[in-house]
Amino acid sequence: MLWTITIASLLLAGLVFRQMFRREEEQELAGEDAGLAILEFGRAFPDEAIREMITTANGRTVFLRLHDGKAGCMNAHGHHYSCHLIEPGTVRVNGAGPKRLDVKFANAAYEGGTFEFRDERDAAEVSLWLLGSFMPGIASLDPQAAGQPH
């Protein structure tokens, strides 16, 4: 009986340690994925400078805010990303809940879908980036045309 309890305890301890190491690995990979996303997008679009990026809650999709008002989207497919530069007028964004956005791309339907973010702030920020990508050239117009005071 003592041997059975000892073996069961050792198996349980092994499972607990395995789960702890798995969580640490996932956290390390999440940090590496952000760097990998930047490198992959830079390779796909070398002339675009990234200002900010937000990942979805599951870490499979990265939305990028670019230097000139445009936006980008990257979906993870295994160990690589498909990079998508969002052209003005090619995206539809609908709210699908407090932390979720339903995004449809006219020129890449397979890239769209419903994306869940870590919090409402991230979802709102990404929706502003995507809606701002409708007319990225408006920032170069005079302030009155852009709806801003002089």
Side-chain angles (χ1 to χ4, degrees), residues 18-88:
R18 182 176 159 203
Q19 289 298 323
M20 286 177 24
F21 286 123
R22 231 185 229 174
R23 280 192 208 127
E24 288 177 10
E25 261 183 27
E26 288 174 0
Q27 289 174 351
E28 287 175 9
L29 287 176
E32 290 175 14
D33 285 346
L36 179 62
I38 292 171
L39 290 174
E40 290 289 326
F41 194 82
R43 249 185 258 147
F45 302 102
D47 295 335
E48 301 294 337
I50 299 170
R51 290 182 72 185
E52 193 174 350
M53 59 188 268
I54 293 178
T55 59
T56 56
N58 64 4
R60 305 279 306 151
T61 304
V62 179
F63 287 93
L64 305 151
R65 177 179 171 209
L66 304 176
H67 73 288
D68 56 357
K70 289 187 270 184
C73 177
M74 300 176 61
N75 287 320
H77 300 285
H79 294 290
H80 69 280
Y81 286 92
S82 62
C83 303
H84 179 72
L85 184 63
I86 301 170
E87 298 294 328

Side-chain angles (χ1 to χ4, degrees), residues 85-98:
L85 184 63
I86 301 170
E87 298 294 328
T90 63
V91 64
R92 291 187 76 172
V93 181
N94 293 314

Side-chain angles (χ1 to χ4, degrees), residues 98-150:
K99 298 189 294 185
R100 299 175 74 181
L101 294 175
D102 185 36
V103 180
K104 290 184 176 44
F105 299 107
N107 56 355
Y110 59 91
E111 295 287 337
T114 302
F115 302 100
E116 184 169 349
F117 296 89
R118 289 182 180 91
D119 55 30
E120 293 87 3
R121 187 183 60 80
D122 285 349
E125 189 72 21
V126 168
S127 69
L128 289 175
W129 296 352
L130 295 176
L131 293 174
S133 72
F134 277 123
M135 298 180 61
I138 199 163
S140 64
L141 297 175
D142 61 282
Q144 190 172 10
Q148 298 173 356
H150 295 279

